[in-house]
């Protein structure tokens, strides 16, 4: 049914880059543009080559995702928002306590440190630590959402921001059409 959804479903509902709703398979397409960059960053003499850069097709807020989740569950969007906010608070508290936070199939979060090196162990102090960041390691379902190839992501080249749109049938498009392909689900 065309027009069934007015906004794309969040990644949470995707499995192997296709999701099944009412016996229809919705394929996921990633838009990309090309950027001319050094083949060896930091080396001014290195050859410049074109590389793909993913182009976002929009943004979704926590409120919008909560509304979509509420339609898929018995929770209200307010209940979903409260649960998400509580989850974020607990992730922060546990990371600050030095724990690895494992969110089942979603993935794990862990604090990683950046530091200046010291010649010896004795010369290293906490002053050598220059910062911290959070490392995220996706779980299997999230990793599956980024696999390319048969049954995985397809790609479509688009113009860079501020450039004229590319003509239809542009070279470099992957398989899969316009990103809203629908096929009958052979499993019913």
């Amino acid at each position: 049914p065309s027009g069934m959804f007015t906004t794309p479903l969040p990644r949470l509902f995707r499995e192997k880059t296709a999701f099944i709703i009412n016996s229809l398979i919705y394929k996921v397409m990633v838009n990309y543009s090309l950027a001319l960059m050094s083949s060896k960053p930091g080396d001014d003499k290195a050859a410049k080559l074109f590389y793909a850069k993913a182009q976002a097709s929009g943004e979704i807020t926590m409120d919008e995702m909560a509304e979509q989740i509420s339609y898929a569950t018995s929770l209200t969007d307010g209940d979903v928002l409260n649960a998400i906010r509580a989850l974020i608070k607990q992730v922060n508290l546990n990371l600050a306590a030095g724990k690895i936070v494992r969110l089942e199939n979603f993935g794990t979060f862990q604090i990683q440190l950046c530091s200046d090196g010291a010649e010896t162990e004795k010369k290293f102090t906490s002053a050598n630590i220059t910062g911290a960041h959070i490392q995220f390691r996706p779980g299997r379902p999230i990793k599956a959402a980024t696999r390319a190839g048969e049954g995985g992501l397809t790609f479509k080249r688009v113009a860079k921001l501020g450039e004229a749109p590319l003509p239809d049938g542009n070279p470099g498009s992957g398989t899969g059409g316009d990103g809203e392909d629908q096929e009958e689900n052979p499993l019913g």
Side-chain angles (χ1 to χ4, degrees):
S2 64
M4 182 190 268
F5 295 102
T6 56
T7 59
L9 288 175
R11 221 174 249 147
L12 179 66
F13 293 110
R14 298 180 196 156
E15 185 174 325
K16 295 185 181 175
T17 68
F19 43 93
I20 302 170
I21 300 173
N22 295 338
S23 301
L24 295 174
I25 297 174
Y26 292 77
K27 292 184 181 177
V28 179
M29 176 156 323
V30 175
N31 291 333
Y32 71 94
S33 63
L34 298 178
L36 184 61
M37 299 186 306
S38 173
S39 57
K40 295 180 183 175
D43 183 351
D44 294 337
K45 295 179 183 179
K48 294 200 183 291
L49 301 174
F50 284 94
Y51 293 92
K53 292 288 196 177
Q55 296 295 318
S57 60
E59 187 175 284
I60 188 161
T61 66
M62 196 163 66
D63 286 341
E64 291 166 332
M65 287 195 332
E67 185 176 348
Q68 291 175 349
I69 293 169
S70 74
Y71 288 129
T73 66
S74 61
L75 301 171
T76 68
D77 54 343
D79 291 338
V80 174
L81 281 171
N82 287 334
I84 292 171
R85 288 180 182 126
L87 176 66
I88 292 168
K89 184 176 183 178
Q90 288 302 309
V91 168
N92 287 339
L93 289 170
N94 285 286
L95 285 172
K99 295 181 181 178
I100 295 172
V101 178
R102 189 174 315 278
L103 299 177
E104 297 293 326
N105 292 325
F106 183 72
T108 59
F109 295 88
Q110 181 177 2
I111 289 189
Q112 298 292 318
L113 300 177
C114 302
S115 64
D116 293 328
E119 293 173 7
T120 66
E121 227 178 296
K122 286 186 178 188
K123 288 184 179 181
F124 190 94
T125 68
S126 60
N128 289 67
I129 299 173
T130 59
H133 64 273
I134 298 171
Q135 178 185 42
F136 173 70
R137 289 185 297 272
R140 280 192 181 147
I142 303 297
K143 280 184 190 175
T146 61
R147 286 196 188 106
E150 190 173 325
L153 294 175
T154 56
F155 304 94
K156 180 181 178 184
R157 184 172 165 196
V158 297
K160 294 178 195 169
L161 190 61
E163 289 184 354
L166 296 175
D168 287 341
N170 65 73
S173 287
T175 59
D178 64 1
E180 295 189 23
D181 289 346
Q182 301 174 11
E183 295 177 5
E184 290 292 328
N185 179 1
L187 302 175

